[in-house]
Amino acid sequence: MVKSPAIRAGLTLVSVAALILATTSVASARPGDDGSISTADGARDAHQHGGTAGHLPATQSNVNVVSKLKMKNAVPEKIADVGVFKNYAYLAAWGVVSCTYNGVHVVDIKDPAKPKEVAFIQSKEGSYPGEGVQTLQLDTPAFTGDVLVTNNEKCKDKAGFGGMNLYDVTNPEHPTPLAVGIGDSTADGQGKKTANQTHSVFAWDAGEKAYAVIVDNDEGTDVDIMDITNPKKPFLTAEYDLDKTFPQILQNAPANLTDVFLHDLVVKQIDGKQVMLLSYWDAGYVTVDMTDVHTPIYIGDTDFTNPDPQLQESAGLIEKPEGNGHQGEFTLDNRFIIGADEDFAPNGAEGTTDDSATPFQISQGSDTPQLQGGESLTGDAVYAGQACSGDPIVLPAPVTASGSQIAIVTRGLCAFTEKVANVEAAGGYDGIVIINREGSDGCGAFGMSVAGTIPTSSVDRQTGFGFFDLEASYDNAACLAGAASVIPGLSLGAVGDLVSVRAFFDGWGYVHLFDNSTGKMSELDTYAIPEAMDPAYAAGFGDLSVHEVATSKQRADLAYFSYYAGGFRVTKIIDDKLVETGRFIDQGGNNFWGVDVFENNGVEYVAASDRDFGLYIFRYTGN
């Protein structure tokens, strides 16, 4: 299983006439130690909430703002997911934007019109929660009470830890740690001191037993089942690589759907079974019977329709689907599954070389100049080695036949931004492409959180070898087992193929409606906000991707969405179609991450977390 999503692609700017077929998956992002992205949520528009630019205009229809509360120490992009339980909201304080004041805000919402922050659960230094914030009641022989579960990712490699956290929040205003940093402490069969980083977590009470499932960032066996029957002593009881256990969930075509990894999951009791709904990048949405966590049983899964149905319907463009299965929910009656595909890159890209017309996948770095749809770059590949400080000096680009040069750099040993700075200092290059290193988490396509002034992209290791006609010497098994960075036998300054890259508009992330059935599920409809499929909104309006869906607890036809800069959205299912019936964007814009439904005195409310602000509470007023 390839653990890293491909993001965007590109180099410099030469206009091209047409938009044609895509080959790139586009992902959300979690930066690793070097800035590699293994999947929550990458670069944001720099102008978000800036004056009258950087966001969509304010709008409101069939949605009342009941209240809103700015979180203490909230800075732009600091607030992540939200969960609600028994009149309290729990909001994650993310650690990527600043590795301080990470943890969970606890907000009393007994009166939805007057929320107040009553506690803050501090994360261990260097660790932070993000996607998984959930509270449930446990009633097992070992424990009775309310338990908050959160995930751990790291913003300081040596200080932070991974795994999951469990807190006793029976009294939410005085939370007590039960177990922290607990998870899978092996990687590729080797023991390690701390648990693997985790991207999300979901817990459920199965009667005599209770379990939590966590998304393992570090291994292909990324479905980790923790026994939390005694939440003071949780332990790993099972782990799975479900695309190997159930290979039918993989999609053979189109060829870009190769970055398969788990992103999020929920468990719901349906017809007496504990049914897990897993959201897989490039493999779609999968349902598995986890009544016996040691014997998972395949129920059904989805494929991504080719060509992309929403882009074709909205913009009349024919492109491959992105494949960004991000997060999903069952409807109240379990008849449907609604899936939210996250995509921060409305412009895809693909590359070719002068000796092969077959396109290769290329991913654009987060904070370097971006190719927009209809733009391209052509230049000669020039090998620049690792380009870390202290390495042999990166040679200035030699004069080549095309007159343009692209530095080909290998991943490893230092951060991407350091490599880019060294190439920039050498001078003369029009772009940079970083190829993957060897290793069990290397070799394949990957995305980058990277800053610089030269367009910078990434490719898999075999493609990088091909730039210098060395693809025949590439051995993927040896790559996965190896630890090298540089291309063996290649000298600094070696000139390879003429590389060409083109960009095309393929839209922001959107929503799927599936028939919840056994085997391959039918896709019934898709939904996107209009601006998300309009090239005029590809830049300058914030991220117009959906992030999460929460389904109504009172109505089987209603769903609520956090749509980043697209605001808060509501849809109804009418004749097996998703129809928007409510929306809200505040003055100055929004940046919503999480969304959760709760009831108070028989009235349904929705809590949403604004990344730059804190908590919003909504009530839908439509039919």
Side-chain angles (χ1 to χ4, degrees):
M1 174 186 286
V2 178
K3 288 292 296 179
S4 298
I7 308 291
R8 289 170 280 190
L11 299 168
T12 80
L13 315 176
V14 180
S15 177
V16 291
L19 301 174
I20 53 179
L21 287 177
T23 63
T24 313
S25 292
V26 179
S28 68
R30 301 199 289 260
D33 300 335
D34 59 2
S36 60
I37 287 172
S38 61
T39 153
D41 305 289
R44 303 284 178 255
D45 191 291
H47 303 292
Q48 180 69 34
H49 293 232
T52 58
H55 54 77
L56 296 178
T59 185
Q60 187 167 6
S61 175
N62 292 333
V63 172
N64 280 349
V65 180
V66 178
S67 61
K68 53 186 178 180
L69 176 67
K70 184 175 178 63
M71 295 296 97
K72 296 175 182 177
N73 295 319
V75 296
E77 304 182 8
K78 185 64 179 178
I79 304 302
D81 215 353
V82 61
V84 178
F85 189 72
K86 291 184 177 178
N87 291 321
Y88 286 85
Y90 301 85
L91 293 90
W94 208 43
V96 173
V97 62
S98 65
C99 195
T100 58
Y101 204 74
N102 305 334
V104 180
H105 300 270
V106 183
V107 180
D108 181 341
I109 55 172
K110 295 187 192 72
D111 181 351
K114 297 179 180 180
K116 61 179 180 177
E117 186 169 353
V118 294
F120 183 79
I121 305 171
Q122 183 76 44
S123 291
K124 182 183 183 297
E125 182 187 2
S127 299
Y128 63 90
E131 202 79 86
V133 178
Q134 179 212 5
T135 305
L136 75 163
Q137 181 176 330
L138 292 187
D139 186 5
T140 70
F143 182 88
T144 299
D146 298 335
V147 175
L148 167 69
V149 294
T150 66
N151 71 306
N152 280 316
E153 292 178 289
K154 293 191 282 188
C155 49
K156 290 183 181 178
D157 184 52
K158 293 182 179 180
F161 56 35
M164 62 177 288
N165 305 319
L166 298 101
Y167 304 96
D168 184 346
V169 290
T170 306
N171 181 348
E173 300 187 22
H174 298 281
T176 303
L178 295 168
V180 295
I182 303 298
D184 184 356
S185 297
T186 63
D188 305 315
Q190 302 297 314
K192 50 202 292 280
K193 291 183 180 179
T194 61
N196 298 339
Q197 293 188 73
T198 63
H199 185 57
S200 190
V201 57
F202 190 91
W204 72 101
D205 190 328
E208 292 295 306
K209 294 280 191 178
Y211 300 99
V213 56
I214 51 182
V215 177
D216 189 325
N217 288 10
D218 298 340
E219 292 187 300
T221 50
D222 55 6
V223 182
D224 292 346
I225 309 292
M226 303 292 294
D227 188 316
I228 61 168
T229 304
N230 182 350
K232 294 182 180 180
K233 297 180 179 180
F235 61 90
L236 181 70
T237 189
E239 58 179 331
Y240 302 102
D241 184 347
L242 286 188
D243 67 325
K244 292 183 177 178
T245 306
F246 305 121
Q248 62 266 46
I249 72 175
L250 297 175
Q251 189 167 337
N252 293 326
N256 61 304
L257 300 182
T258 59
D259 298 316
V260 177
F261 61 89
L262 178 63
H263 187 273
D264 212 314
L265 30 67
V266 297
V267 178
K268 184 178 183 181
Q269 184 167 310
I270 301 175
D271 297 330
K273 301 175 181 178
Q274 301 292 345
V275 179
M276 185 178 292
L277 170 60
L278 306 102
S279 303
Y280 272 93
W281 230 261
D282 284 8
Y285 299 88
V286 181
T287 52
V288 177
D289 180 353
M290 280 287 186
T291 306
D292 179 355
V293 297
H294 299 103
T295 310
I297 301 171
Y298 167 83
I299 299 175
D301 76 290
T302 71
D303 280 345
F304 292 101
T305 303
N306 185 31
D308 186 307
Q310 184 64 50
L311 187 66
Q312 186 174 11
E313 175 186 336
S314 298
L317 299 175
I318 306 298
E319 301 288 356
K320 293 184 177 70
E322 299 263 17
N324 300 353
H326 180 266
Q327 182 261 349
E329 292 280 351
F330 297 101
T331 53
L332 179 65
D333 59 2
N334 305 314
R335 180 183 170 191
F336 302 103
I337 289 172
I338 299 177
D341 284 10
E342 185 178 56
D343 174 12
F344 290 136
N347 295 299
E350 64 184 12
T352 56
T353 63
D354 57 348
D355 57 7
S356 175
T358 302
F360 58 80
Q361 181 173 309
I362 188 165
S363 299
Q364 201 163 243
S366 61
D367 295 305
T368 56
Q370 307 284 300
L371 268 180
Q372 303 298 315
E375 298 173 341
S376 69
L377 168 84
T378 297
D380 293 291
V382 178
Y383 185 55
Q386 290 177 147
C388 293
S389 299
D391 284 338
I393 296 173
V394 179
L395 300 175
V399 176
T400 55
S402 71
S404 297
Q405 297 83 37
I406 299 168
I408 308 301
V409 176
T410 57
R411 176 186 176 189
L413 300 184
C414 66
F416 295 123
T417 297
E418 180 178 326
K419 295 174 185 287
V420 170
N422 288 330
V423 173
E424 290 176 344
Y429 291 99
D430 298 289
I432 302 170
V433 175
I434 299 177
I435 74 169
N436 213 343
R437 52 170 167 73
E438 292 182 346
S440 60
D441 60 344
C443 305
F446 66 102
M448 297 183 299
S449 179
V450 58
T453 61
I454 297 176
T456 302
S457 303
S458 62
V459 297
D460 63 274
R461 192 163 176 84
Q462 185 172 14
T463 295
F465 273 48
F467 292 157
F468 302 94
D469 299 328
L470 297 172
E471 58 267 41
S473 67
Y474 176 81
D475 183 322
N476 195 61
C479 181
L480 291 169
S485 170
V486 300
I487 299 177
L490 200 60
S491 300
L492 286 177
V495 179
D497 293 340
L498 186 68
V499 176
S500 297
V501 177
R502 72 166 189 97
F504 46 84
F505 179 78
D506 57 8
W508 299 87
Y510 62 86
V511 180
H512 301 265
L513 179 68
F514 301 106
D515 178 23
N516 181 24
S517 58
T518 58
K520 287 292 179 185
M521 302 181 206
S522 298
E523 182 172 50
L524 302 175
D525 194 27
T526 59
Y527 156 76
I529 63 173
E531 296 88 349
M533 296 293 143
D534 185 341
Y537 292 88
F541 297 90
D543 295 317
L544 301 184
S545 173
V546 68
H547 187 251
E548 291 184 0
V549 56
T551 52
S552 171
K553 295 180 182 295
Q554 296 183 347
R555 295 173 52 171
D557 64 343
L558 209 58
Y560 307 99
F561 301 93
S562 50
Y563 227 102
Y564 286 113
F568 174 70
R569 303 283 169 150
V570 187
T571 68
K572 284 177 63 177
I573 302 172
I574 301 174
D575 297 329
D576 293 350
K577 301 289 185 183
L578 291 167
V579 179
E580 183 180 298
T581 56
R583 63 184 182 273
F584 174 82
I585 300 175
D586 212 340
Q587 294 291 334
N590 283 113
N591 192 3
F592 287 121
W593 176 306
V595 61
D596 201 12
V597 177
F598 67 100
E599 295 176 284
N600 185 291
N601 293 323
V603 177
E604 181 163 277
Y605 298 92
V606 185
S609 53
D610 185 293
R611 300 192 63 210
D612 306 336
F613 178 83
L615 178 66
Y616 278 69
I617 296 178
F618 297 110
R619 185 168 66 86
Y620 174 62
T621 59
N623 295 326

